[in-house]
Amino acid sequence: MLDVRNFTFEPLFSDLSFSLQKQETLLVRGANGAGKSTLLRMFAGLIRPKANTLFWEKKAVELSTYQQNLLYISHKLALHSEALVKDQIKLWQYHYGVRKAVIEEALELWGMLPFLNKKINYLSQGQQKRLSLSRLHWLVRSLWILDESHTNLDADGRKILDNALAHHLESDGLAILASHEKRPSTREICL
Amino acid sequence: MILRELYNAYLHKGSLLSTLGFFSLSLFCTSFALGQSEVILKRSAPALIWILASLTTFFSTPHLLKREAEGGLLDEILLHPCLSSTYLVSKVIAEWVFVALPLICIILFFSPMFALASHELLSLCLTFLIGFPALSALGNLGSLLTLNTQGGGILLSLIILPLTLPLLIFGLSVMEMTQLGLDSSSSLSFLMGVSLFLSILGITIGSWALPLAVER
Amino acid sequence: MKFTLAKPRIFFKVSRFLFPFIIVMGVLCFGTGLYTALVTSPPDYQQGDAMRIMYIHVPASWMALCVYSLLAILSLFILVWRHPLAEILAISAAPIGALFTLLSLVTGSLWGKPMWGTYWVWDARLTSVLVLLFLYVGYWALYKAYAHPAQGIRAASLLALIGAINLPIIKGSVNWWNTLHQPASITKLSTPSIHPSMLFPLGLMTAAYGFYFLLLLILRARTEFNKRKCLVQENFS
């Protein structure tokens, strides 16, 4: 599905190639500052990769269509810090054209529904992370790119995330994760 | 997208308050410093108001964008299928509603200080409303260009103010015509043309600048 | 990285070959230009010897504009093709252009003092040259504000581009505003026809400025190139 040929970003990494099939997970592992985030941003097309280095379904990607297949959540959570949680839901509705009920269902799963009237600024780091990760449940995309998603989550939250990942892979999804920790039984690139 | 931006701007009412506060305070200070002479006040009012208003715009625009960039919201925008110029256009519209209109209210409120007659006031507000989209588009372009620097509003003004000179000139010539009691329609149409051109230019180049600004 | 350095290398080979030629031509043009301008060319019947500053002033303004257009073209190359040589040249050219602009402004106002009685009038040309100076300053400030030169140059290129598109409008509006404000009592700088005896030194001086610009450009580009090479080597070690 996703093929990468000769990704280069001097001086962090050069000539990086691999291919990722359906139901596969790739873990990008490395120390702080090794270029994990940079690499993930290149996968997402936010740093424009050079021509003919990124292929989706055997075709060289055309960024704006390719980006409709992916869900990218970085350590920047893409939340409106000034907004209430319910305002954020409204903004998501405008932005993604998703129904409110679907989002609220996902929030319930992540245990965020009681905080509808709270300002996002006042939520704890872990709660903000949960809110941001709820996207995994209400946005249907086949390629997940998650940057350090397990940090700041408690055991419960990690479980929800891992369940979501497992389910995503079962339904023919792909996932790319970045972390500095090892994960059992996943392919990994070590930067 | 427009709805999103309007809502987003609405959420930042706190920073809007400080923007308006800055504008009214600076208006007050300058009118106070100019003294009591009605002639001088009347003569300098349009220029002062225009310059202060554009400075206020340039100090306020980078805030919102910087917030969005820090929160990672610009990534979300770039991943969205719609064009980045659409995003900029909606941003300009949102700013027109949430910055230009309140600024007009403040100008109206402060107008007795400058001894402006009502028809002069009307044309001042009109020129500002027409010129504002270009100010906002160039301001957004400037904030995108300075997003990854420490410069903030001062650097933004330094790079963008020279570009807004035509707006200033035509806006003020409309005012001058009105004050002299002449027909100002030719200047007004010049102003419209320049404003339209600069808005399009700012938005086009801004949509190039957006991916560059987000790359790091 | 090797590839990105390859293209400038050709430029530097050529420039090293041309360098002595440029120095010789520059010195020759300056010498003959200054001699003809200051000694042999006739003084203006109205302005007397004071108008000889024109030979310094006018080429400087021309060069200021030329360098800005060069900057705009280079910016296009940087943005569209990410040409490394264009980056080096643009960074090298911008401060030189700013200096030409400053020179033009200073000599202009020095000339203005005996002619108009003041150092500064809100003449359309003076004003638009001043705006040009601000554009240069903004370009340089924006480039310097970035921690990463590679990012800074792209932001600055966008600015140069929009400035170049906007410059005619600024010029036009300043002209228009000028006619609104001041009656045409000021003697315009351009005389409808310049006598050949004045045109010749003017052309020589312009050529001299051009060679001087090339000389500085090559020197600055070389320095910039070496700086980058050091940076790359540091990164690899």
Side-chain angles (χ1 to χ4, degrees), chain C residues 2 10 56 72 77 89 110 114 136 150 186 203 215 227:
Chain C
K2 261 179 213 145
I10 299 168
I56 309 287
F77 271 85
L89 287 182
L110 283 179
Y136 273 119
I186 294 170
L215 185 76
K227 254 199 239 166

Side-chain angles (χ1 to χ4, degrees), chain C residues 56 87 113 172 177 203 225:
Chain C
I56 309 287
E87 283 181 22
K113 182 66 180 165
W177 159 82
F225 177 69

Side-chain angles (χ1 to χ4, degrees), chain B residues 138 141 145-146 148-149 155 158-159 162-163 165-166 169-170 173 176-177 187 197-198 201 205 208-209 212 215-216, chain C residues 82 131 134-135 138 141-142 145-146 148 151 154-155 158-159 161-163 165-166 169-170 173-174 176-177 180-181:
Chain B
L138 287 174
L141 167 68
L145 290 181
T146 56
N148 295 324
T149 66
L155 184 61
L158 174 64
I159 62 173
L163 301 178
L165 204 63
I169 288 172
F170 287 115
S173 75
E176 201 159 344
M177 299 284 195
S187 302
F197 181 79
L198 287 183
L201 194 64
I205 300 218
W208 291 4
L212 293 184
E215 273 198 5
R216 187 149 280 247
Chain C
R82 300 206 171 178
V131 173
F134 283 135
L135 288 180
L142 186 60
Y146 274 86
H148 269 265
Q151 275 188 314
R154 264 181 270 157
L158 278 172
L159 185 69
L161 216 54
I162 194 172
I165 299 170
N166 210 349
I169 301 180
I170 296 177
S173 60
V174 168
W176 192 81
W177 159 82
L180 189 77
H181 272 252

Side-chain angles (χ1 to χ4, degrees), chain A residues 9-10 17 21 35 71 93 119-120 126 144 146 169 180 185:
Chain A
F9 193 92
E10 299 284 354
S17 306
Q21 298 306 321
L71 172 59
Q93 279 175 271
K119 215 175 196 180
I120 290 179
W144 288 4
L146 306 179
L169 294 178
H180 44 262
S185 66

